[in-house]
Amino acid sequence: MRSRFDEQLDLLNKELITMGALCENAIAMSASALAEGKPVLAEEVPGLSAQIDQKEREIENLCLKLLLQQQPVAGDLRIVSSALKMITDMERIGHQSADIAEIIILANIRATEDTRAVHDMSLAVIQMVTDSISAFVKKDRQMARDVIAYDDVVDSFFDKVKKMLIELFSKPETDGEYAIDLLMIAKYLERIGDHAVNIARWVLFSITGNKEG
């Protein structure tokens, strides 16, 4: 019985890695579209978001089977319940990546020095998402704590982008709609960073029973 349970936990880890990779790709495609000024690159993101939704349902079903069929002990129960919470945040990451892609496509955003600053922010966010999932699979408390701490870096990027856009607004030749679109993209990225923090906190809970680790 325990052997079967361990096999299903291994499957759960693999499925979470797959879902995490989809999230990373969704953010990265939007980021590339932004950096290169090629909105067409963002057109695949909604499809990735749909795959993330499907993966959420599959993992949710697997977790429910583990809970109902295997009668997990306390430590295992924390792992499964944490995974259920994590996939909710990952699903939101997928949707927010799709929201970013929609802005890029509809606004036909071009590559500028301003978009490069937002692109740098997206790379930091991708790292947070990657490391939060890795921390769960590796049961690495320190990696989870590092993700939580790294949110300060993403917040700094967001502050930098806001200041940059405020300066843009002060110039009479600035396209106000373009600046607002960039601000919205940066805000979505900040929210994705917050979701990565939530995932990291659930990783800590799965290991210690305490979200503060």
Side-chain angles (χ1 to χ4, degrees):
M1 180 72 89
R2 181 69 211 185
S3 175
R4 173 63 177 160
F5 187 80
D6 288 341
E7 287 176 6
Q8 290 183 307
L9 282 181
D10 286 341
L11 177 59
L12 175 60
N13 284 341
K14 290 174 183 175
E15 291 289 87
L16 283 168
I17 290 170
T18 299
M19 189 174 180
L22 289 169
C23 290
E24 293 159 28
N25 288 341
I27 305 167
M29 281 187 174
S30 291
S32 295
L34 196 63
E36 298 176 32
K38 296 179 180 177
V40 68
L41 297 176
E43 291 178 359
E44 291 184 43
V45 177
L48 285 172
S49 180
Q51 290 180 53
I52 291 167
D53 287 347
Q54 177 61 33
K55 189 57 65 177
E56 180 194 24
R57 290 189 289 271
E58 291 172 2
I59 294 174
E60 188 176 64
N61 287 337
L62 175 58
C63 287
L64 292 176
K65 286 179 182 177
L66 283 165
L67 291 172
L68 295 173
Q69 296 176 6
Q70 302 294 339
Q71 298 178 327
V73 296
D76 297 328
L77 185 60
R78 284 202 308 270
I79 291 171
V80 177
S81 59
S82 295
L84 281 168
K85 295 291 187 179
M86 289 165 57
I87 59 174
T88 299
D89 281 294
M90 293 163 75
E91 182 263 350
R92 292 308 306 151
I93 288 171
H95 280 239
Q96 285 160 1
S97 297
D99 289 335
I100 292 171
E102 183 178 13
I103 293 172
I104 293 170
I105 293 166
L106 293 179
N108 197 29
I109 288 182
R110 57 203 177 276
T112 65
E113 187 65 37
D114 312 315
T115 59
R116 276 191 285 276
V118 180
H119 178 255
D120 289 343
M121 183 179 178
S122 71
L123 295 180
V125 168
I126 290 170
Q127 190 63 51
M128 288 181 71
V129 173
T130 301
D131 288 351
S132 63
I133 304 301
S134 294
F136 180 81
V137 174
K138 296 176 181 178
K139 297 180 173 57
D140 190 326
R141 292 169 66 183
Q142 188 55 53
M143 185 179 285
R145 292 194 197 101
D146 289 345
V147 170
I148 294 167
Y150 200 70
D151 193 45
D152 290 340
V153 175
V154 171
D155 288 343
S156 294
F157 273 118
F158 186 51
D159 289 339
K160 178 182 176 182
V161 170
K162 283 193 294 184
K163 288 176 184 175
M164 175 191 72
L165 293 175
I166 288 170
E167 289 178 11
L168 269 182
F169 272 117
S170 68
K171 299 175 182 177
E173 70 275 15
T174 296
D175 179 346
E177 195 169 322
Y178 160 78
I180 290 171
D181 285 335
L182 282 185
L183 181 60
M184 287 297 299
I185 290 170
K187 185 61 182 176
Y188 280 127
L189 288 171
E190 185 208 24
R191 288 177 183 169
I192 290 172
D194 290 340
H195 286 300
V197 168
N198 288 345
I199 292 170
R201 292 197 185 284
W202 284 113
V203 171
L204 292 175
F205 176 80
S206 72
I207 299 169
T208 68
N210 185 334
K211 289 175 71 176
E212 301 304 317

